[in-house]
Amino acid sequence: MLLAGNASDTHGVSRQRSRILRLAAVAICLIMISRLGWLQLLRGQFYRGLSENNYVQGFLMPAPRGLILDRNGEILAYNRTSLSITLTRMKRRDDAALTYRLSELLDLETGFVTQKLEEASGRFYGNVVLIKDANLEQVSRVEERRSELPGVKVEVTAVRRYPMGSLASHAIGYVAEISDDELIDRAPLGYRSGNVVGKTGVENRYEFMLRGRDGAEYWVCDALGRELYPFQDGPSRAARPGSNLILNLDAPAQIAAEEALSRYDGGAIVAIDPRSGGVLVLASLPALDPNNLVDGISNEEWASISTSPFHPLLNRAIQATYPPGSPFKLITAAAGLESRRIGRDETVTCIGAFKYGIRTFRCWKHEGHGVVNMMKGIVESCDVYFYQLGVRLGVAQLMDWTGRSGIGHRTGIDIAGEAAGNLPTPAWYDRAYGKRKWSRGVVLNLAIGQGELLVTPLQMACMVCGIVNNGPVYAPHVLKRIETYSGRMIGTVKESVSYELPFSHSTLSFLKQAMVNVVEAPNGTGKLARVPGIEVGGKTGTAQNPHGEDHAWFVCFAPADDPEIVVAVLIEHGGGGGAIAAPIAREVLKAYLRFDSLEQEETLEPHVLEHEEPGGATPAEATPEGEGARTDADHPLPNADSDVRGIREE
């Protein structure tokens, strides 16, 4: 029998222990609840992401690149469906074993497969292409053994294709995989390694319109990386195709231009709609088939292309510069009229040569043109007439009018890489040869488009656009309008005047009529540019080339009463502009104006064709420039029959 006091003490101890246990249980519960709250509420998103990352895989859905079409809807660039074998990142994968399987299965170098697997392991989004454009046998082998190839997939991709091969390749450009340097600049814009980007031409200039927006899909995968079903809670989004670009290029005219160019070593043809600045033809040869560049080439092949003496990557229409030859006489004539240095009816007697100081400058027509006024000087391209007009103007004044006419300045065409040419002002000669150490006689060569004056074919086409427009020159542009991938128009290029020729309407109308006479008059040098049924205006030219045969020039417009097209043709080492370049321009005019079948072709007897030769100083009598050579500007001009006798250069 327990004593009452002892029983009371024992009961008190029990209650105390029970209280401690309850408090401990409550504390443990509070700790657990707090921990769960911290995990679920504060860190829930983080751990949820880690969890999902173990079994949810994201896949990039590349957006189809926009199409490129000509003004008539002819497809110039599209996307061909292709199958690619790709690698995705996976944890707990035996990459060494997978390397062996893939190398044996697909007949690939072990080092190459190892490199691609390492690249895939470091990529948390998207995939790495192991084999691009895989053939059916390769695809079948992968699909048959897919359970043995964790993270290896066959994906449907798009490959850029140019159905007309090298046609207009310098204008359209090409695409290729993004380089490391490009990726540094474009990574913030969403570009990733392996993306395809425009490298040149329209593909490069309008990359962001053509690219579209990539999509993404998330799938629940098993331990082998096989997709089981879509992950509904993932931030999936559909790919948005790039925009289609409709160009001003006219495929039939472009084809005619390149077929004509293919018969020569190289050259360029530019055709522009003078009413808007739309570039109808932009041809440069030699050229490459961009399909070969898209598929990828070896370092050796690239070195061969980039060091080729024919420079197939050079866009001669906008990047190469040449002396303009006799088409430049149009600017010389306009400068003479505007500055009142000569009148339209003033005459000069051409005896086939012109002596200025100790130098003799020859006319292309050795027997001379006789008595020449400005109209005859342009139509028959008399060098002696323009030599003497150049003396009246002087280098400073002639180059001032030239610069204000757009020569020596970029036109602003919507393709990268345009050259500005060279405008040899007195300051330029001072820098090149030393102050006052160059001959003032250089103006004679400049007056006929020779010497250090350099232009692009595009600049010459723009000059003629200004003539037929009575001054305004619209900024040349290859792009015409933008459409959605489904064909809905979403924008057009705003036409804007880039600059205006600094000549009066009267002077420009005179030049326009003179150009018509060059082609249509019996004594014109551009007869071979005639198109039956329409009136054509043009100007021939032959530019000296220190590296070989002369370059052939011809610029023209048609129809004369309401010009729809301006054409500039430059044939490297072609010889006479009237004999070589004019017939090429004629074919471009016919193709664009759709003169495919003519009822009657005009024939010309060979003996009536004028072969214009480049003028300039007689080599044996020329004084080297830059060695202190000077011409006495006060010395009377020795041509006694000339109306510009005794003129001093200013």
Side-chain angles (χ1 to χ4, degrees):
M1 180 174 178
L2 295 173
L3 296 175
N6 292 337
S8 176
D9 292 341
T10 301
H11 184 67
V13 170
S14 298
R15 285 200 305 268
Q16 186 176 1
R17 289 176 178 175
S18 175
R19 189 181 302 113
I20 292 172
L21 290 174
R22 287 197 298 269
L23 289 174
V26 170
I28 291 172
C29 289
L30 289 175
I31 292 172
M32 293 177 63
I33 292 172
S34 300
R35 179 62 176 173
L36 289 173
W38 184 81
L39 292 173
Q40 292 290 333
L41 300 178
L42 299 181
R43 299 286 288 173
Q45 193 67 27
F46 171 76
Y47 287 107
R48 181 181 180 183
L50 291 179
S51 174
E52 291 174 353
N53 198 38
N54 287 329
Y55 73 97
V56 176
Q57 181 69 47
F59 298 100
L60 185 69
M61 307 298 293
R65 196 170 179 86
L67 306 179
I68 300 178
L69 305 93
D70 87 330
R71 65 190 297 112
N72 307 305
E74 193 76 34
I75 295 178
L76 303 176
Y78 72 101
N79 308 301
R80 176 177 63 81
T81 301
S82 171
L83 296 176
S84 296
I85 299 174
T86 64
L87 305 173
T88 56
R89 179 179 68 93
M90 288 198 66
K91 294 183 177 180
R92 296 184 299 275
R93 179 175 62 191
D94 188 348
D95 283 354
L98 182 59
T99 298
Y100 175 77
R101 293 193 195 100
L102 289 174
S103 301
E104 185 178 29
L105 189 65
L106 301 174
D107 193 22
L108 298 174
E109 292 288 338
T110 303
F112 173 76
V113 178
T114 300
Q115 177 188 347
K116 290 297 183 180
L117 283 170
E118 290 176 352
E119 187 178 342
S121 298
R123 184 176 297 184
F124 290 88
Y125 188 83
N127 50 44
V128 172
V129 177
L130 179 65
I131 298 180
K132 183 179 181 180
D133 207 16
N135 58 44
L136 184 59
E137 182 180 358
Q138 292 170 322
V139 170
S140 300
R141 288 179 180 179
V142 170
E143 290 296 337
E144 287 173 359
R145 302 190 176 213
R146 186 143 181 220
S147 61
E148 304 172 16
L149 305 172
V152 181
K153 290 184 59 180
V154 175
E155 295 188 10
V156 178
T157 59
V159 176
R160 198 63 159 176
R161 276 292 171 263
Y162 303 93
M164 296 189 179
S166 62
L167 186 77
S169 60
H170 289 93
I172 300 169
Y174 70 95
V175 298
E177 187 172 334
I178 191 169
S179 67
D180 293 339
D181 291 339
E182 291 172 321
L183 188 58
I184 294 174
D185 296 331
R186 298 190 180 187
L189 302 176
Y191 285 84
R192 299 176 179 84
S193 179
N195 282 166
V196 167
V197 297
K199 296 290 185 176
T200 61
V202 168
E203 292 275 28
N204 172 266
R205 174 64 176 80
Y206 297 104
E207 162 68 20
F208 298 119
M209 295 180 183
L210 289 165
R211 178 192 178 208
R213 186 190 68 184
D214 292 339
E217 284 187 354
Y218 292 83
W219 285 72
V220 176
C221 303
D222 62 14
L224 296 178
R226 294 174 297 194
E227 301 94 56
L228 301 177
Y229 53 87
F231 182 62
Q232 300 297 333
D233 295 332
S236 300
R237 66 174 184 271
R240 184 179 66 192
S243 301
N244 295 340
L245 302 185
I246 314 302
L247 308 185
N248 282 298
L249 294 181
D250 183 77
Q254 184 79 27
I255 291 171
E258 295 196 12
E259 285 181 350
L261 280 178
S262 65
R263 298 193 290 267
Y264 301 93
D265 293 340
I269 299 177
V270 178
I272 299 177
D273 184 343
R275 302 165 298 183
S276 64
V279 178
L280 308 173
V281 172
L282 195 72
S284 174
L285 262 68
L288 294 175
D289 185 342
N291 293 302
N292 298 332
L293 300 175
V294 172
D295 293 335
I297 59 176
S298 66
N299 292 334
E300 293 75 15
E301 290 173 319
W302 177 253
S304 175
I305 292 171
S306 59
T307 60
S308 169
F310 300 105
H311 306 293
L313 296 176
L314 179 67
N315 187 345
R316 287 164 165 79
I318 69 171
Q319 293 177 315
T321 58
Y322 311 86
S326 290
F328 182 76
K329 293 173 181 175
L330 297 169
I331 291 182
T332 305
L337 292 175
E338 294 294 314
S339 62
R340 301 182 184 276
R341 295 291 179 175
I342 199 168
R344 299 179 189 177
D345 298 325
E346 292 184 50
T347 60
V348 168
T349 300
C350 172
I351 59 173
F354 176 71
K355 190 170 184 180
Y356 185 64
I358 61 173
R359 304 177 67 179
T360 298
F361 292 78
R362 302 291 182 185
C363 185
W364 70 267
K365 190 172 184 179
H366 303 296
E367 66 273 22
H369 290 88
V371 179
V372 182
N373 61 10
M374 183 172 284
M375 178 63 75
K376 183 177 179 180
I378 295 174
V379 173
E380 298 186 15
S381 203
C382 175
D383 292 327
V384 167
Y385 180 90
F386 286 96
Y387 291 149
Q388 300 191 49
L389 178 53
V391 172
R392 290 191 180 192
L393 289 165
V395 175
Q397 189 166 208
L398 178 59
M399 290 300 100
D400 177 62
W401 288 104
T402 302
R404 292 161 61 191
S405 299
I407 305 300
H409 307 284
R410 295 178 178 87
T411 66
I413 189 172
D414 54 343
I415 294 180
E418 182 185 9
N422 186 49
L423 186 69
T425 62
W428 183 92
Y429 281 113
D430 285 343
R431 290 193 301 270
Y433 301 116
K435 194 167 185 179
R436 300 183 64 82
K437 291 184 178 180
W438 48 277
S439 169
R440 298 190 191 185
V442 297
V443 73
L444 280 79
N445 274 336
L446 294 176
I448 62 169
Q450 305 287 355
E452 296 83 358
L453 179 65
L454 298 174
V455 301
T456 64
L458 176 62
Q459 287 175 335
M460 296 306 290
C462 287
M463 179 196 75
V464 178
C465 286
I467 292 174
V468 301
N469 285 340
N470 281 324
V473 178
Y474 287 91
H477 51 278
V478 178
L479 180 63
K480 182 178 179 67
R481 66 178 184 273
I482 309 164
E483 297 180 351
T484 63
Y485 202 77
S486 60
R488 179 175 57 86
M489 189 179 75
I490 55 177
T492 59
V493 173
K494 183 179 180 181
E495 299 165 1
S496 61
V497 175
S498 178
Y499 61 93
E500 293 196 28
L501 296 185
F503 309 123
S504 66
H505 286 190
S506 174
T507 294
L508 293 170
S509 295
F510 174 79
L511 296 181
K512 184 177 177 182
Q513 183 58 53
M515 293 179 72
V516 171
N517 291 348
V518 167
V519 176
E520 304 295 342
N523 61 330
T525 58
K527 302 182 188 72
L528 290 183
R530 292 176 182 171
V531 177
I534 63 172
E535 203 171 42
V536 178
K539 184 69 189 80
T540 58
T542 307
Q544 289 178 330
N545 172 27
H547 306 293
E549 185 74 17
D550 299 323
H551 300 318
W553 275 102
F554 187 72
V555 296
C556 66
F557 59 88
D561 57 342
D562 186 17
E564 300 175 22
I565 179 174
V566 164
V567 181
V569 178
L570 182 281
I571 305 299
E572 293 181 349
H573 321 300
I580 302 299
I584 294 176
R586 178 176 185 268
E587 294 307 308
V588 175
L589 292 177
K590 287 169 56 180
Y592 179 71
L593 298 173
R594 304 301 189 259
F595 278 75
D596 297 325
S597 57
L598 300 175
E599 295 181 0
Q600 182 178 2
E601 293 281 353
E602 181 177 358
T603 59
L604 296 170
E605 296 297 330
H607 69 272
V608 304
L609 299 179
E610 297 286 357
H611 179 78
E612 181 184 351
E613 298 287 351
T618 302
E621 298 178 2
T623 302
E625 303 291 351
E627 299 180 3
R630 295 192 59 199
T631 299
D632 185 359
D634 297 328
H635 183 76
L637 301 183
N639 185 352
D641 296 324
S642 172
D643 288 337
V644 295
R645 177 165 49 95
I647 294 177
R648 305 166 191 266
E649 177 175 87
E650 294 184 355

